[in-house]
């Protein structure tokens, strides 16, 4: 594996991407709105919810396993606040998926559209190295952004919950595992699929449309189900193992479908 | 002399059944500039793509810079420079960043790459615009930069696919000069495709003509002339008007045609053989008291030769070398 070439290709991609203010603005604005907005929304919703009369909500709370060590001592409203803040992490998971859908879609097909694909394919770099570079050049900025967002999100949640809990809620081990392992794995697999689509279509619009129609709904559906996983530490670990396998399959599939001849025929 | 490129019955068939390159067998020596001529769709670009490992042959094989195109692809790519008919540059990046990227992909360190870029930019007069985005360059400058990109790692072999296509005459001249200087500087083998026949004649040591995927002829420009042209022309310039001697000359054996030039002092004679017929013509005219000022053999232009090859090819007569 020629790591220096992979790194060089990634740096080139970043230099190209970040020259575009449009991409920069559109990819950073939404995450920051989510990081600031979701905790505020949670706080407002919880405060406005009529406690005591919501028997169905109480039943749901009873079904959930203890989320904190002092779970039984907490009031219904605080429990709801804690649960909502955990569910809010779902939005953090969606950030790499959403941004990758338009950054990743451009990676290979963008080279075709800008008529640079021949110049890239004639370089002494293998198919899998090109794919790794393309996936990572999309994934790393998105991940960095997600991590910045997660810090902002944690601060916001702590600011809101501290008066009730008298301690810091986030980050805890569960949150760290989700952010440091779970999110990168989910991002890698998603981007691998998007890059695979990008290498099989003839223009960026097609890649974005296919991503929007097939990949995003599937990933959003899966991510939606993961909310339950977030509550239990062991389930998070199981989720990580499953995601790792999913990533491996996605990458193998992307490599086997990376066809230089097809790429050339579409130029 | 060592061979830089050797192909053996190289064939590429695209689906459903388009034979783009048909059993191409050729050999190019190290240090040669080879020009590949042919009409659009003849198979020139497909040949370049096969030899640069961008696509895989349906059958046959080739050795490029000592590496097999089927097996040692990464090793082969390290040893070649490539410029397609589009310069393959990243328009949002500066020329320096483009060159740095490609240099590093060929294994040069940042320091080595920077030194080489500065050297080349000075030598090829691009230094002042080195930090401007390539998108702001003219087509000619982009093409020139594309050639520098292809030679950034001093490869022993360069592939240039229609390097002057779509350029104005001045830009063409500038790119041509860049190719000549690149060849001189690196002593590199150059495989170029072109539609520009004077360019091919000026630059190339060896010329190949391809049509419908088949190599029709290969050799130096003079070899092509002698293979294709069965007649030779010579221009005889005299002190006096010679228009009255047509009958005298046309009766001579070995003369195919006579054409008097506008001034009446010169005539163009098409003969079967220079060595045998020229003395006979001279003697006949001198015997008639004509003072001959000059006897000059003329040769067919490459364009004429090319047309003839194409005519023969399309008419079913092959002149395969």
């Amino acid at each position: 594996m020629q790591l220096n070439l992979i790194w060089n290709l990634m740096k080139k991609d970043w230099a190209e991407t970040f020259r575009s203010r449009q991409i920069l603005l559109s990819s950073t604005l939404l995450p920051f709105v989510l990081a600031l907005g979701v905790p505020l929304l949670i706080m407002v919703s919880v405060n406005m919810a009529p406690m005591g009369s919501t028997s169905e909500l109480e039943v749901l709370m009873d079904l959930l396993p203890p989320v904190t060590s002092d779970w039984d001592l907490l009031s219904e409203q605080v429990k709801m606040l804690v649960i909502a803040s955990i569910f809010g992490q779902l939005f953090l998971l969606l950030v790499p998926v959403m941004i990758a859908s338009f950054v990743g879609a451009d990676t290979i097909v963008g080279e075709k559209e800008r008529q640079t694909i021949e110049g890239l394919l004639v370089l002494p770099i293998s198919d899998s190295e090109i794919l790794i570079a393309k996936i990572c050049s999309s994934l790393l900025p998105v991940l960095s952004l997600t991590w910045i967002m997660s810090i902002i999100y944690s601060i916001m949640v702590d600011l809101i919950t501290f008066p009730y809990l008298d301690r810091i809620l986030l980050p805890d081990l569960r949150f760290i595992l989700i952010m440091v392992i779970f999110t990168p794995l989910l991002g890698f697999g998603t981007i691998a699929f998007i890059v695979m689509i990008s290498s099989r279509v003839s223009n960026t619009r097609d890649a974005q449309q296919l991503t929007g129609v097939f990949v995003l709904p599937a990933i959003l559906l899966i991510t939606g189900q993961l909310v339950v996983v977030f509550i239990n530490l062991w389930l998070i670990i199981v989720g990580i193992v499953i995601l790792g396998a999913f990533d491996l399959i996605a990458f193998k599939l992307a490599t086997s479908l990376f066809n230089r001849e097809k790429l050339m025929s579409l130029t | 002399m060592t061979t830089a490129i050797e192909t053996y019955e190289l064939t590429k068939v695209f689906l459903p059944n388009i034979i783009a390159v048909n059993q191409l067998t050729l050999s190019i020596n190290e240090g040669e500039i080879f020009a590949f001529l042919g009409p659009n769709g003849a198979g020139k670009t497909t040949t370049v793509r096969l030899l640069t490992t961008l696509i895989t042959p349906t059958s046959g094989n080739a050795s490029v810079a000592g590496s097999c195109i089927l097996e040692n692809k990464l090793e082969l790519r390290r040893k070649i420079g490539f410029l397609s008919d589009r310069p393959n540059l990243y328009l949002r990046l500066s020329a320096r960043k483009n060159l740095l990227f490609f240099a590093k992909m060929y294994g040069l360190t940042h320091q080595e790459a920077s030194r080489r870029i500065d050297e080349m930019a000075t030598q090829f007069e691009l230094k002042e615009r080195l930090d401007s985005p390539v998108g702001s360059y003219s087509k000619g400058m982009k093409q020139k930069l594309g050639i520098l990109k292809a030679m950034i790692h001093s490869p022993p072999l360069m592939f240039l696919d229609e390097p002057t296509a779509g350029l104005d005459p001045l830009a063409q001249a500038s790119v041509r000069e860049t190719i000549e200087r690149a060849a001189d500087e690196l002593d590199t083998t150059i495989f170029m495709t072109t539609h520009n026949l004077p360019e091919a004649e000026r630059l190339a040591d060896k010329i190949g003509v391809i049509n419908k995927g088949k190599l029709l002829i290969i050799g130096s420009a003079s070899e092509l002339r002698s293979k294709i042209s069965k007649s030779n022309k010579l221009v005889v310039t005299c002190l006096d008007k010679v228009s009255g001697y047509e009958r005298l000359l046309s009766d001579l054996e070995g003369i195919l045609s006579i054409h008097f030039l506008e001034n009446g002092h010169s005539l163009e004679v098409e003969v079967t053989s220079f060595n045998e017929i020229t003395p006979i013509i001279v003697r006949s005219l001198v015997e008639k008291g004509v003072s001959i000022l000059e006897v000059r053999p003329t040769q067919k232009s490459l364009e004429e030769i090319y047309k003839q090859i194409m005519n023969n090819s399309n008419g079913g007569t092959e002149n395969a070398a």
Side-chain angles (χ1 to χ4, degrees):
Chain A
M1 192 65 72
Q2 306 176 91
L3 293 176
N4 53 336
L5 300 195
I6 293 173
W7 177 241
N8 192 36
L9 183 53
M10 283 166 63
K11 280 198 300 181
K12 186 278 295 172
D13 278 357
W14 290 334
E16 265 206 301
T17 307
F18 297 137
R19 291 232 162 214
S20 164
R21 282 185 187 175
Q22 271 180 320
I23 295 177
L24 211 59
L25 193 71
S26 55
S27 55
T28 49
L29 197 64
L30 180 70
F32 278 103
V33 168
L34 284 176
L36 293 169
V38 169
L40 288 173
L41 202 69
I42 290 168
M43 187 183 74
V44 171
S45 311
V46 170
N47 281 329
M48 286 175 73
M51 288 296 145
S53 60
T54 51
S55 56
E56 284 167 4
L57 198 67
E58 282 168 24
V59 172
L60 175 70
M61 294 287 184
D62 290 342
L63 285 174
L64 291 169
V67 176
T68 62
S69 52
D70 52 358
W71 186 247
D72 293 334
L73 304 172
L74 300 176
S75 69
E76 290 299 309
Q77 192 184 27
V78 177
K79 276 182 183 175
M80 204 171 133
L81 200 60
V82 171
I83 292 288
S85 69
I86 291 171
F87 286 1
Q89 291 164 25
L90 191 66
F91 290 100
L92 296 179
L93 267 190
L94 296 182
V95 169
V97 175
M98 285 188 299
I99 299 176
S101 69
F102 62 86
V103 177
D106 180 69
T107 51
I108 307 270
V109 76
E111 297 261 6
K112 266 197 275 191
E113 283 185 320
R114 291 186 286 275
Q115 302 182 336
T116 52
I117 192 78
E118 275 179 301
L120 173 67
L121 295 179
V122 84
L123 293 172
I125 183 165
S126 68
D127 296 353
S128 54
E129 286 163 348
I130 290 177
L131 281 171
I132 289 174
K134 291 293 180 185
I135 293 169
C136 291
S137 68
S138 299
L139 180 65
L140 291 190
V142 171
L143 266 186
S144 312
L145 197 65
T146 309
W147 286 333
I148 293 170
M149 264 185 61
S150 69
I151 293 168
I152 296 171
Y153 182 82
S154 296
I155 293 168
M156 290 294 291
V157 165
D158 286 333
L159 281 174
I160 292 165
T161 55
F162 192 81
Y164 302 100
L165 295 171
D166 214 21
R167 62 179 170 79
I168 287 170
L169 182 68
L170 293 178
D172 57 1
L173 179 62
R174 188 174 41 223
F175 185 76
I176 291 168
L177 274 179
I178 288 169
M179 283 303 137
V180 177
I181 305 177
F182 204 95
T183 312
L185 286 175
L186 183 68
F188 187 94
T190 309
I191 294 174
F193 266 111
I194 293 168
V195 168
M196 180 182 74
I197 288 172
S198 182
S199 71
R200 304 291 295 182
V201 294
S202 56
N203 59 62
T204 304
R205 207 171 55 178
D206 286 357
Q208 281 170 341
Q209 278 174 353
L210 280 173
T211 301
V213 172
F214 295 109
V215 182
L216 278 188
I219 299 294
L220 294 182
L221 197 70
I222 294 165
T223 315
Q225 307 306 310
L226 292 174
V227 168
V228 184
V229 173
F230 284 6
I231 294 165
N232 187 297
L233 194 63
W234 287 108
L235 282 177
I236 292 173
I237 292 165
V238 171
I240 285 169
V241 173
I242 293 169
L243 270 181
F246 165 75
D247 285 4
L248 208 63
I249 293 165
F251 183 70
K252 287 275 177 201
L253 199 62
T255 313
S256 65
L257 289 175
F258 188 84
N259 184 331
R260 285 169 179 257
E261 209 137 310
K262 193 167 171 63
L263 283 169
M264 297 303 309
S265 68
L266 293 166
T267 58
Chain B
M1 198 172 250
T2 322
T3 311
I5 300 173
E6 194 152 25
T7 71
Y8 177 72
E9 295 190 351
L10 200 61
T11 301
K12 181 67 190 178
V13 181
F14 289 115
L15 293 173
N17 194 22
I18 302 157
I19 304 172
V21 176
N22 193 356
Q23 297 193 308
L24 177 74
T25 299
L26 59 79
S27 170
I28 297 157
N29 292 324
E30 268 183 12
E32 276 183 343
I33 298 183
F34 175 73
F36 211 22
L37 308 178
N40 288 330
K44 303 185 298 293
T45 299
T46 304
T47 305
V48 170
R49 287 178 173 180
L50 286 167
L51 295 177
T52 52
T53 73
L54 282 167
I55 55 175
T56 314
T58 311
S59 64
N61 203 346
S63 159
V64 174
S67 300
C68 169
I69 60 164
L70 298 173
E71 284 162 18
N72 311 318
K73 290 184 180 179
L74 289 189
E75 187 192 310
L76 187 155
R77 289 186 210 138
R78 269 184 212 108
K79 292 187 277 193
I80 59 168
F82 172 70
L83 172 75
S84 77
D85 51 346
R86 292 159 289 214
N88 299 149
L89 296 162
Y90 297 97
L91 303 185
R92 287 183 198 153
L93 306 183
S94 67
R96 188 189 298 278
K97 285 202 169 150
N98 265 283
L99 292 174
L100 259 178
F101 166 68
F102 286 104
K104 286 182 180 175
M105 291 308 278
Y106 285 110
L108 272 73
T109 63
H110 188 89
Q111 228 173 359
E112 286 167 345
S114 300
R115 200 177 51 236
R116 178 103 178 104
I117 291 165
D118 284 335
E119 269 171 27
M120 290 199 313
T122 310
Q123 197 184 347
F124 294 95
E125 293 132 25
L126 273 175
K127 197 156 178 85
E128 281 176 19
R129 299 287 307 277
L130 206 52
D131 292 303
S132 312
V134 175
S136 68
Y137 277 33
S138 68
K139 201 171 175 187
M141 280 178 75
K142 279 182 199 155
Q143 205 69 355
K144 206 165 156 180
L145 185 62
I147 296 172
L148 299 197
K149 179 201 86 177
M151 58 187 278
I152 187 81
H153 55 303
S154 312
L157 178 58
M158 286 208 292
F159 289 90
L160 309 175
D161 192 6
E162 298 186 24
T164 55
L167 300 182
D168 64 61
L170 280 179
Q172 278 186 21
S174 169
V175 168
R176 216 163 23 238
E177 196 186 317
T178 308
I179 295 169
E180 278 178 320
R181 286 163 72 181
D184 284 347
E185 191 213 358
L186 300 174
D187 193 25
T188 192
T189 310
I190 294 179
F191 184 113
M192 60 183 275
T193 70
T194 183
H195 288 292
N196 188 328
L197 302 176
E199 176 179 284
E201 187 157 24
R202 180 176 156 182
L203 293 175
D205 303 303
K206 196 184 264 183
I207 293 168
V209 182
I210 188 172
N211 191 24
K212 295 171 188 165
K214 248 196 157 6
L215 181 69
L216 302 176
I217 194 164
I218 187 167
S220 66
S222 59
E223 282 170 348
L224 259 56
R225 277 192 190 92
S226 61
K227 279 177 187 171
I228 290 302
S229 182
K230 290 179 180 62
S231 65
N232 304 288
K233 283 181 184 170
L234 54 98
V235 174
V236 183
T237 308
C238 305
L239 192 62
D240 315 302
K241 290 208 171 192
V242 284
S243 35
Y245 296 101
E246 185 176 2
R247 194 182 190 110
L248 166 79
L249 295 175
S250 57
D251 285 347
L252 296 173
E253 210 170 298
I255 290 187
L256 300 171
S257 69
I258 301 168
H259 173 63
F260 289 93
L261 301 180
E262 276 177 12
N263 60 11
H265 291 265
S266 302
L267 66 155
E268 190 182 64
V269 190
E270 195 176 2
V271 297
T272 50
S273 160
F274 278 130
N275 294 345
E276 290 170 19
I277 310 301
T278 310
I280 299 172
I281 294 171
V282 171
R283 198 165 49 237
S284 303
L285 288 171
V286 170
E287 279 173 1
K288 292 287 175 190
V290 177
S291 304
I292 297 172
L293 295 176
E294 185 191 31
V295 178
R296 178 170 46 88
T298 62
Q299 54 184 14
K300 278 192 172 176
S301 67
L302 187 61
E303 192 174 322
E304 288 172 302
I305 299 282
Y306 177 78
K307 276 182 188 167
Q308 199 170 330
I309 295 168
M310 283 300 138
N311 284 340
N312 292 348
S313 160
N314 293 329
T317 317
E318 275 188 17
N319 290 283

